[in-house]
Amino acid sequence: RMPDSVPAADRWQRSSAAFSLSFLSLVFSITAFSSSYWCEGTRKVAKPFCTGQSKGNHCIRFNSPDGNSSNAVQYIWETGDDKFVERNFHAGIWYSCEEITDEEGESFISLTPAGDRGVLWLSIVAELLYIILLLTGAILMSVEVCYCSTVIDGLKINAFSAVVTVLAGLLGMVAHMMYTTVFQMTVNLGPEDWRPHTWDYGWSYCLAWASFACCMAAAVTTINRYTKTILEFKHKRKMLERNLKIKYKFPDH
């Protein structure tokens, strides 16, 4: 039987650090997955015709005050870029929403080119598996923190949680990269009336990669804790064997 050489306070401190990182990664991933701010930008949208009391530069004006008259010949003064207005939009895995409109968000899956929808669905499945594995790893780490038993039992839970967390990190990285590829393909080959004029990654995208960073940090902390505990066991065993050899070589009279 291996000696319980690692102090309980030290074990609890290491386990708590890994659990905190894993829990933080889980919160970040759920927040990013449920939001629609992975990418943000502006789109050029054709101005609607001015009707009623509409004023300003956000609608197309006619040359006569009675713009609804069908008998009069109407002339539109806006030409070129003046016929368009820039509107902010934000898109996520599920929805693409446009600001300054009261309409419901448009499904991002329907905007994706048909040839790339399979990759988007794989990205969604990978994100879901990523969250499930993160939750599993966080539960195992919480059991290790709260479960008071021998160091050997803690090592078994520690090893399993390390494997689960590493697998979660790999899935998360693949899912984020696949979504990045799909969004760029949608920008280039998607519907012409949706293609953004300018765009950049939003806070949800940064939060998703922050979740991946916390996940890998939790995995490294867990593996480091496991390795350090094993090395301490081996060191204590060598010291014990050495003391026993000295004791039997020079017995006390």
Side-chain angles (χ1 to χ4, degrees), residues 87-107:
R87 287 181 178 173
N88 297 327
F89 83 97
H90 53 89
I93 293 180
W94 300 104
Y95 291 104
S96 174
C97 303
E98 185 176 301
E99 297 178 358
I100 323 177
T101 58
D102 297 330
E103 298 179 359
E104 192 173 336
E106 190 174 5
S107 173

PDB file of all heavy atoms in Angstrom, residues 87-107:
ATOM      1  N   ARG A  87     -26.300  49.014 -42.052  1.00  0.00           N
ATOM      2  CA  ARG A  87     -26.948  48.555 -40.823  1.00  0.00           C
ATOM      3  C   ARG A  87     -26.058  47.533 -40.136  1.00  0.00           C
ATOM      4  O   ARG A  87     -25.459  46.681 -40.786  1.00  0.00           O
ATOM      5  CB  ARG A  87     -28.315  47.937 -41.125  1.00  0.00           C
ATOM      6  CG  ARG A  87     -29.368  48.957 -41.504  1.00  0.00           C
ATOM      7  CD  ARG A  87     -30.694  48.297 -41.761  1.00  0.00           C
ATOM      8  NE  ARG A  87     -31.727  49.278 -42.078  1.00  0.00           N
ATOM      9  CZ  ARG A  87     -32.952  48.954 -42.485  1.00  0.00           C
ATOM     10  NH1 ARG A  87     -33.291  47.688 -42.631  1.00  0.00           N
ATOM     11  NH2 ARG A  87     -33.842  49.908 -42.752  1.00  0.00           N
ATOM     12  N   ASN A  88     -25.990  47.647 -38.830  1.00  0.00           N
ATOM     13  CA  ASN A  88     -25.188  46.707 -38.051  1.00  0.00           C
ATOM     14  C   ASN A  88     -25.901  45.363 -37.953  1.00  0.00           C
ATOM     15  O   ASN A  88     -27.128  45.292 -37.886  1.00  0.00           O
ATOM     16  CB  ASN A  88     -24.934  47.258 -36.648  1.00  0.00           C
ATOM     17  CG  ASN A  88     -24.127  48.539 -36.680  1.00  0.00           C
ATOM     18  OD1 ASN A  88     -23.283  48.721 -37.544  1.00  0.00           O
ATOM     19  ND2 ASN A  88     -24.391  49.436 -35.744  1.00  0.00           N
ATOM     20  N   PHE A  89     -25.119  44.307 -37.927  1.00  0.00           N
ATOM     21  CA  PHE A  89     -25.675  42.966 -37.752  1.00  0.00           C
ATOM     22  C   PHE A  89     -24.735  42.162 -36.853  1.00  0.00           C
ATOM     23  O   PHE A  89     -23.567  42.519 -36.662  1.00  0.00           O
ATOM     24  CB  PHE A  89     -25.842  42.264 -39.110  1.00  0.00           C
ATOM     25  CG  PHE A  89     -24.582  41.625 -39.617  1.00  0.00           C
ATOM     26  CD1 PHE A  89     -24.339  40.267 -39.431  1.00  0.00           C
ATOM     27  CD2 PHE A  89     -23.616  42.378 -40.266  1.00  0.00           C
ATOM     28  CE1 PHE A  89     -23.174  39.684 -39.885  1.00  0.00           C
ATOM     29  CE2 PHE A  89     -22.446  41.805 -40.727  1.00  0.00           C
ATOM     30  CZ  PHE A  89     -22.219  40.457 -40.537  1.00  0.00           C
ATOM     31  N   HIS A  90     -25.263  41.103 -36.288  1.00  0.00           N
ATOM     32  CA  HIS A  90     -24.438  40.167 -35.525  1.00  0.00           C
ATOM     33  C   HIS A  90     -24.970  38.762 -35.776  1.00  0.00           C
ATOM     34  O   HIS A  90     -26.179  38.553 -35.921  1.00  0.00           O
ATOM     35  CB  HIS A  90     -24.442  40.497 -34.025  1.00  0.00           C
ATOM     36  CG  HIS A  90     -25.803  40.625 -33.422  1.00  0.00           C
ATOM     37  ND1 HIS A  90     -26.495  39.568 -32.884  1.00  0.00           N
ATOM     38  CD2 HIS A  90     -26.604  41.709 -33.283  1.00  0.00           C
ATOM     39  CE1 HIS A  90     -27.663  39.983 -32.428  1.00  0.00           C
ATOM     40  NE2 HIS A  90     -27.759  41.285 -32.654  1.00  0.00           N
ATOM     41  N   ALA A  91     -24.059  37.817 -35.858  1.00  0.00           N
ATOM     42  CA  ALA A  91     -24.414  36.434 -36.199  1.00  0.00           C
ATOM     43  C   ALA A  91     -23.749  35.474 -35.229  1.00  0.00           C
ATOM     44  O   ALA A  91     -22.648  35.716 -34.735  1.00  0.00           O
ATOM     45  CB  ALA A  91     -23.998  36.106 -37.632  1.00  0.00           C
ATOM     46  N   GLY A  92     -24.443  34.377 -34.954  1.00  0.00           N
ATOM     47  CA  GLY A  92     -23.915  33.312 -34.115  1.00  0.00           C
ATOM     48  C   GLY A  92     -24.065  31.980 -34.810  1.00  0.00           C
ATOM     49  O   GLY A  92     -24.236  31.900 -36.028  1.00  0.00           O
ATOM     50  N   ILE A  93     -24.014  30.920 -34.039  1.00  0.00           N
ATOM     51  CA  ILE A  93     -24.177  29.593 -34.625  1.00  0.00           C
ATOM     52  C   ILE A  93     -25.605  29.379 -35.084  1.00  0.00           C
ATOM     53  O   ILE A  93     -25.861  28.724 -36.105  1.00  0.00           O
ATOM     54  CB  ILE A  93     -23.759  28.516 -33.595  1.00  0.00           C
ATOM     55  CG1 ILE A  93     -22.253  28.607 -33.333  1.00  0.00           C
ATOM     56  CG2 ILE A  93     -24.125  27.123 -34.075  1.00  0.00           C
ATOM     57  CD1 ILE A  93     -21.751  27.603 -32.340  1.00  0.00           C
ATOM     58  N   TRP A  94     -26.569  29.970 -34.362  1.00  0.00           N
ATOM     59  CA  TRP A  94     -27.970  29.706 -34.652  1.00  0.00           C
ATOM     60  C   TRP A  94     -28.633  30.813 -35.452  1.00  0.00           C
ATOM     61  O   TRP A  94     -29.396  30.548 -36.372  1.00  0.00           O
ATOM     62  CB  TRP A  94     -28.747  29.498 -33.350  1.00  0.00           C
ATOM     63  CG  TRP A  94     -28.234  28.358 -32.534  1.00  0.00           C
ATOM     64  CD1 TRP A  94     -27.470  28.424 -31.404  1.00  0.00           C
ATOM     65  CD2 TRP A  94     -28.409  26.968 -32.800  1.00  0.00           C
ATOM     66  NE1 TRP A  94     -27.176  27.169 -30.946  1.00  0.00           N
ATOM     67  CE2 TRP A  94     -27.744  26.256 -31.772  1.00  0.00           C
ATOM     68  CE3 TRP A  94     -29.076  26.258 -33.798  1.00  0.00           C
ATOM     69  CZ2 TRP A  94     -27.715  24.874 -31.724  1.00  0.00           C
ATOM     70  CZ3 TRP A  94     -29.049  24.873 -33.749  1.00  0.00           C
ATOM     71  CH2 TRP A  94     -28.383  24.191 -32.726  1.00  0.00           C
ATOM     72  N   TYR A  95     -28.376  32.077 -35.103  1.00  0.00           N
ATOM     73  CA  TYR A  95     -29.138  33.179 -35.684  1.00  0.00           C
ATOM     74  C   TYR A  95     -28.226  34.264 -36.226  1.00  0.00           C
ATOM     75  O   TYR A  95     -27.104  34.443 -35.767  1.00  0.00           O
ATOM     76  CB  TYR A  95     -30.089  33.799 -34.647  1.00  0.00           C
ATOM     77  CG  TYR A  95     -31.230  32.898 -34.244  1.00  0.00           C
ATOM     78  CD1 TYR A  95     -31.219  32.235 -33.027  1.00  0.00           C
ATOM     79  CD2 TYR A  95     -32.306  32.705 -35.105  1.00  0.00           C
ATOM     80  CE1 TYR A  95     -32.255  31.398 -32.666  1.00  0.00           C
ATOM     81  CE2 TYR A  95     -33.356  31.872 -34.744  1.00  0.00           C
ATOM     82  CZ  TYR A  95     -33.322  31.225 -33.520  1.00  0.00           C
ATOM     83  OH  TYR A  95     -34.346  30.392 -33.171  1.00  0.00           O
ATOM     84  N   SER A  96     -28.754  34.972 -37.217  1.00  0.00           N
ATOM     85  CA  SER A  96     -28.138  36.206 -37.713  1.00  0.00           C
ATOM     86  C   SER A  96     -29.163  37.318 -37.532  1.00  0.00           C
ATOM     87  O   SER A  96     -30.242  37.281 -38.131  1.00  0.00           O
ATOM     88  CB  SER A  96     -27.750  36.065 -39.190  1.00  0.00           C
ATOM     89  OG  SER A  96     -27.290  37.293 -39.697  1.00  0.00           O
ATOM     90  N   CYS A  97     -28.843  38.285 -36.707  1.00  0.00           N
ATOM     91  CA  CYS A  97     -29.789  39.351 -36.368  1.00  0.00           C
ATOM     92  C   CYS A  97     -29.284  40.681 -36.903  1.00  0.00           C
ATOM     93  O   CYS A  97     -28.080  40.953 -36.894  1.00  0.00           O
ATOM     94  CB  CYS A  97     -29.963  39.451 -34.844  1.00  0.00           C
ATOM     95  SG  CYS A  97     -30.517  37.910 -34.070  1.00  0.00           S
ATOM     96  N   GLU A  98     -30.237  41.509 -37.353  1.00  0.00           N
ATOM     97  CA  GLU A  98     -29.913  42.836 -37.855  1.00  0.00           C
ATOM     98  C   GLU A  98     -30.505  43.880 -36.928  1.00  0.00           C
ATOM     99  O   GLU A  98     -31.657  43.780 -36.525  1.00  0.00           O
ATOM    100  CB  GLU A  98     -30.465  43.016 -39.269  1.00  0.00           C
ATOM    101  CG  GLU A  98     -30.058  44.327 -39.916  1.00  0.00           C
ATOM    102  CD  GLU A  98     -30.538  44.407 -41.343  1.00  0.00           C
ATOM    103  OE1 GLU A  98     -30.163  43.531 -42.144  1.00  0.00           O
ATOM    104  OE2 GLU A  98     -31.304  45.334 -41.657  1.00  0.00           O
ATOM    105  N   GLU A  99     -29.700  44.871 -36.578  1.00  0.00           N
ATOM    106  CA  GLU A  99     -30.169  45.912 -35.683  1.00  0.00           C
ATOM    107  C   GLU A  99     -31.048  46.916 -36.436  1.00  0.00           C
ATOM    108  O   GLU A  99     -31.111  46.946 -37.656  1.00  0.00           O
ATOM    109  CB  GLU A  99     -28.975  46.629 -35.050  1.00  0.00           C
ATOM    110  CG  GLU A  99     -28.134  45.709 -34.175  1.00  0.00           C
ATOM    111  CD  GLU A  99     -26.934  46.402 -33.586  1.00  0.00           C
ATOM    112  OE1 GLU A  99     -26.741  47.586 -33.894  1.00  0.00           O
ATOM    113  OE2 GLU A  99     -26.195  45.762 -32.823  1.00  0.00           O
ATOM    114  N   ILE A 100     -31.744  47.741 -35.681  1.00  0.00           N
ATOM    115  CA  ILE A 100     -32.655  48.777 -36.192  1.00  0.00           C
ATOM    116  C   ILE A 100     -33.808  48.152 -36.973  1.00  0.00           C
ATOM    117  O   ILE A 100     -34.358  48.750 -37.878  1.00  0.00           O
ATOM    118  CB  ILE A 100     -31.927  49.820 -37.077  1.00  0.00           C
ATOM    119  CG1 ILE A 100     -30.533  50.117 -36.532  1.00  0.00           C
ATOM    120  CG2 ILE A 100     -32.703  51.128 -37.117  1.00  0.00           C
ATOM    121  CD1 ILE A 100     -29.741  51.066 -37.397  1.00  0.00           C
ATOM    122  N   THR A 101     -34.151  46.913 -36.659  1.00  0.00           N
ATOM    123  CA  THR A 101     -35.332  46.278 -37.252  1.00  0.00           C
ATOM    124  C   THR A 101     -36.085  45.571 -36.153  1.00  0.00           C
ATOM    125  O   THR A 101     -35.509  45.122 -35.172  1.00  0.00           O
ATOM    126  CB  THR A 101     -34.958  45.260 -38.349  1.00  0.00           C
ATOM    127  OG1 THR A 101     -34.099  44.257 -37.783  1.00  0.00           O
ATOM    128  CG2 THR A 101     -34.245  45.950 -39.507  1.00  0.00           C
ATOM    129  N   ASP A 102     -37.398  45.458 -36.359  1.00  0.00           N
ATOM    130  CA  ASP A 102     -38.242  44.789 -35.378  1.00  0.00           C
ATOM    131  C   ASP A 102     -38.505  43.339 -35.754  1.00  0.00           C
ATOM    132  O   ASP A 102     -39.250  42.638 -35.077  1.00  0.00           O
ATOM    133  CB  ASP A 102     -39.601  45.519 -35.257  1.00  0.00           C
ATOM    134  CG  ASP A 102     -39.415  46.942 -34.743  1.00  0.00           C
ATOM    135  OD1 ASP A 102     -38.448  47.151 -33.979  1.00  0.00           O
ATOM    136  OD2 ASP A 102     -40.228  47.816 -35.112  1.00  0.00           O
ATOM    137  N   GLU A 103     -37.907  42.872 -36.851  1.00  0.00           N
ATOM    138  CA  GLU A 103     -38.159  41.514 -37.294  1.00  0.00           C
ATOM    139  C   GLU A 103     -37.331  40.526 -36.482  1.00  0.00           C
ATOM    140  O   GLU A 103     -36.309  40.864 -35.901  1.00  0.00           O
ATOM    141  CB  GLU A 103     -37.817  41.382 -38.783  1.00  0.00           C
ATOM    142  CG  GLU A 103     -38.662  42.286 -39.688  1.00  0.00           C
ATOM    143  CD  GLU A 103     -38.257  42.142 -41.143  1.00  0.00           C
ATOM    144  OE1 GLU A 103     -37.331  41.361 -41.406  1.00  0.00           O
ATOM    145  OE2 GLU A 103     -38.873  42.817 -41.981  1.00  0.00           O
ATOM    146  N   GLU A 104     -37.802  39.274 -36.497  1.00  0.00           N
ATOM    147  CA  GLU A 104     -37.112  38.227 -35.754  1.00  0.00           C
ATOM    148  C   GLU A 104     -35.841  37.828 -36.493  1.00  0.00           C
ATOM    149  O   GLU A 104     -35.728  37.957 -37.707  1.00  0.00           O
ATOM    150  CB  GLU A 104     -38.049  37.020 -35.613  1.00  0.00           C
ATOM    151  CG  GLU A 104     -37.550  35.988 -34.617  1.00  0.00           C
ATOM    152  CD  GLU A 104     -38.572  34.902 -34.383  1.00  0.00           C
ATOM    153  OE1 GLU A 104     -39.762  35.172 -34.613  1.00  0.00           O
ATOM    154  OE2 GLU A 104     -38.174  33.799 -33.993  1.00  0.00           O
ATOM    155  N   GLY A 105     -34.846  37.345 -35.770  1.00  0.00           N
ATOM    156  CA  GLY A 105     -33.569  36.972 -36.365  1.00  0.00           C
ATOM    157  C   GLY A 105     -33.714  35.877 -37.401  1.00  0.00           C
ATOM    158  O   GLY A 105     -34.594  35.018 -37.330  1.00  0.00           O
ATOM    159  N   GLU A 106     -32.829  35.903 -38.385  1.00  0.00           N
ATOM    160  CA  GLU A 106     -32.844  34.935 -39.466  1.00  0.00           C
ATOM    161  C   GLU A 106     -31.925  33.773 -39.106  1.00  0.00           C
ATOM    162  O   GLU A 106     -30.870  33.955 -38.497  1.00  0.00           O
ATOM    163  CB  GLU A 106     -32.371  35.609 -40.750  1.00  0.00           C
ATOM    164  CG  GLU A 106     -32.576  34.776 -42.002  1.00  0.00           C
ATOM    165  CD  GLU A 106     -32.226  35.572 -43.252  1.00  0.00           C
ATOM    166  OE1 GLU A 106     -31.740  36.711 -43.116  1.00  0.00           O
ATOM    167  OE2 GLU A 106     -32.440  35.046 -44.351  1.00  0.00           O
ATOM    168  N   SER A 107     -32.327  32.564 -39.472  1.00  0.00           N
ATOM    169  CA  SER A 107     -31.530  31.386 -39.155  1.00  0.00           C
ATOM    170  C   SER A 107     -30.214  31.417 -39.917  1.00  0.00           C
ATOM    171  O   SER A 107     -30.195  31.571 -41.140  1.00  0.00           O
ATOM    172  CB  SER A 107     -32.305  30.119 -39.513  1.00  0.00           C
ATOM    173  OG  SER A 107     -31.483  28.981 -39.369  1.00  0.00           O
TER     174      SER A 107
END
